[in-house]
Amino acid sequence: MTPQGLKTQLEHLCQQLVEQPNNLGLLDQAAALASQMKMPEQAAELYRTYVHHHQQHAGAQFNCGYYLRVAGRYAEAIEHYQQALALGISQPEEVHTNIGVIYNEGLLDNQQAQQAFLQALTIAPNYVPALYNLANSYEQDGDKQQAAHYFNEVIKRQPDYAMAYVRLADVHKAEGSDDALICRLRSFLEGGKQPLNERIDIAFALGKLHDDCGSYDLAWQFYQQANTLNATTMPAWDVAEQEALLHTIIENYTAPVTATGGASQPKPLFICGMFRSGSTLLEQMLGAHDSITSGGELEFFPRLWQQVKREGIGAFSQRTTAQDYAAIGQDYLEFVQQRFGHDGWVTDKRPDNIWLLGLIKRALPDAKFIVTRRQLLDNCLSVYFTRLGASMNYANSVEHIQAFLALEQQLLAHWQQVFGDDVQVVDYDALVADPETELGRVFKWLELPWQAQCLAFHQRTNAVRTASVWQVRQPLYKSSSGRWRNYQKYLK
């Protein structure tokens, strides 16, 4: 069905709901259709509007929690999941696990997440999703021992659970190509029975393990296989489309924005740039300072940006008033305040926010931006060696990664021209080589005193939810600089 046809069908279902507000089947159809149309906010609002007609229906409360969770309305989602539990929903271990995932991924509270997963396991000790998510939470905490323990607990219960072996690869360093984990993962890949999505992850894991032990030719073969397979799951990257987006952004966000003098509380500090360019490392180091809170990858502006792109960047810019932008900014500050309860600097680390700086600056005139960068080929390889989602579909080709990086450099030059000193660039290789100088420069810019504890960032106990989780649990090392030379013969 065409997009217009889907829209017409959704409007028809919504009208029927107005006439039959007690019809749960209609509500499920409408919410599912809105979700299919990639409108999670509308799906959640539909369920939230009509769920009071089904107060005693555990399944309806569960579905409401699900749609609210997808829309990022986490506190409300938990409330409805808890109502489903109170109504005696079957398989309560699934509900507790979903609550744990909200705490883990949405509210960034691993302590509460782990309590929810353990509650699920109290009800059903062999419930694999809870074990798997519990292992994942310990990995984010930097606890290799507990992470490995629970991934192995998954394997004890389901020896063919391939993804548990994949995740073990993150916490395991292979010593040779005959490593037992490598052999097991190869058996999965060569058996040909795993779903495509799992084969992709297995190939990436095998690339990582062979890179560990210096088997670079085999590592490249597996990474190439992983990216070739991954490319089949998403639309091909279109450089002309990306260039058009770049020019549209530049055309619509050209006017400087005057700061109000640092009056915002909390103080928003955005860390962005190319994926795998050192943004997680920098956030960990900055977050060790008493006056800075690590916010991680917040979804507020990326969610808004999806709405902006659906409407059209030009149309949105023309209709949005200064008061509208101020309201967006206030909503963001309240969102951060509720999440972290901190009045100092709070970092928001989303690499792809570099494309949103114009929108963010209009909403938050006092915002400051750090853009991380890295040696070109090292950055390209690190992206190529990481499985990224469909929104980063350039990542399946080194040539496309280079082309994307070139466009981001044009965009950075534009933001530097428009926003001047509110944009600072931090070079990963310089940070690793001389962290005190690089961090000192950032603290001076933020008008903060130097604190030596920022050099002990690897000892922090916060959760890290990016592919860099294990890199930032170690003291600074320089081995990632110049890594491209191991694969030089494969690079043009």
Side-chain angles (χ1 to χ4, degrees), residues 435-456:
E436 191 165 342
T437 297
E438 284 298 297
L439 285 178
R441 182 172 62 83
V442 174
F443 290 140
K444 183 178 179 181
W445 174 61
L446 296 175
E447 300 181 344
L448 294 176
W450 167 257
Q451 290 184 353
Q453 66 219 36
C454 296
L455 298 180

Side-chain angles (χ1 to χ4, degrees), residues 166 169-170 172 174 181-182 185-186 189 199-227 384-386 483 487:
V166 168
D170 291 335
H172 175 75
L181 184 56
I182 287 179
L185 285 167
R186 289 193 70 154
L189 194 61
R199 296 206 309 275
I200 295 167
D201 283 325
I202 291 167
F204 273 110
L206 283 166
K208 181 267 179 189
L209 291 169
H210 282 95
D211 182 82
D212 283 347
C213 59
S215 299
Y216 300 122
D217 290 338
L218 283 171
W220 183 264
Q221 290 176 29
F222 284 113
Y223 279 130
Q224 194 171 47
Q225 181 179 0
N227 280 287
Y384 190 66
F385 291 174
T386 305
R483 183 187 185 195
Y487 300 92

Side-chain angles (χ1 to χ4, degrees), residues 155-210:
I155 291 167
K156 284 181 186 178
R157 289 157 177 80
Q158 283 188 229
D160 291 331
Y161 197 99
M163 286 305 298
Y165 295 92
V166 168
R167 298 304 301 278
L168 274 175
D170 291 335
V171 300
H172 175 75
K173 184 175 176 65
E175 297 297 333
S177 57
D178 59 349
D179 183 275
L181 184 56
I182 287 179
C183 295
R184 189 68 177 103
L185 285 167
R186 289 193 70 154
S187 72
F188 281 123
L189 194 61
E190 293 162 4
K193 295 180 180 179
Q194 307 308 126
L196 174 60
N197 195 50
E198 290 188 6
R199 296 206 309 275
I200 295 167
D201 283 325
I202 291 167
F204 273 110
L206 283 166
K208 181 267 179 189
L209 291 169
H210 282 95

Side-chain angles (χ1 to χ4, degrees), residues 243-405:
E243 287 176 338
L245 176 62
L246 170 69
H247 295 310
T248 299
I249 289 172
I250 289 175
E251 289 170 3
N252 283 278
Y253 298 105
T254 57
V257 178
T258 303
T260 62
S264 297
Q265 292 294 345
K267 299 178 181 179
L269 175 60
F270 292 84
I271 302 174
C272 55
M274 186 62 173
F275 284 90
R276 311 294 293 156
S277 65
S279 58
T280 302
L281 171 64
L282 179 63
E283 184 183 46
Q284 278 292 100
M285 299 176 86
L286 294 178
H289 196 286
D290 292 341
S291 298
I292 302 177
T293 295
S294 299
E297 298 190 350
L298 303 181
E299 300 177 354
F300 184 95
F301 280 106
R303 285 184 183 277
L304 175 61
W305 189 243
Q306 292 305 312
Q307 299 176 41
V308 171
K309 289 201 295 184
R310 282 197 294 268
E311 179 178 346
I313 296 170
F316 178 85
S317 296
Q318 290 176 12
R319 74 159 179 82
T320 307
T321 66
Q323 290 76 18
D324 293 332
Y325 280 115
I328 293 170
Q330 187 58 40
D331 287 345
Y332 176 83
L333 294 175
E334 290 175 1
F335 164 76
V336 171
Q337 182 66 41
Q338 290 171 5
R339 183 74 63 89
F340 303 106
H342 181 73
D343 285 337
W345 291 102
V346 175
T347 57
D348 185 334
K349 188 206 75 71
R350 285 275 308 211
D352 48 351
N353 272 345
I354 189 172
W355 295 84
L356 284 59
L357 263 57
L359 169 64
I360 294 170
K361 190 66 170 172
R362 288 191 184 177
L364 297 165
D366 299 319
K368 288 183 177 290
F369 307 100
I370 297 176
V371 178
T372 54
R373 69 181 175 196
R374 185 178 180 184
Q375 197 277 343
L376 173 67
L377 290 178
D378 281 335
N379 203 164
C380 286
L381 277 187
S382 193
V383 170
Y384 190 66
F385 291 174
T386 305
R387 185 178 185 183
L388 299 175
S391 62
M392 289 79 81
N393 54 344
Y394 58 84
N396 299 307
S397 157
V398 173
E399 291 80 6
H400 287 171
I401 298 167
Q402 291 184 21
F404 185 86
L405 263 168

Side-chain angles (χ1 to χ4, degrees), residues 120-153:
L121 293 169
T122 299
I123 298 167
N126 294 319
Y127 189 56
V128 166
L131 286 167
Y132 185 81
N133 280 285
L134 184 58
N136 179 57
S137 72
Y138 280 119
E139 182 179 356
Q140 293 166 349
D141 282 345
D143 190 335
K144 281 190 177 185
Q145 184 175 355
Q146 285 287 72
H149 169 75
Y150 281 105
F151 283 132
N152 279 307
E153 287 296 307

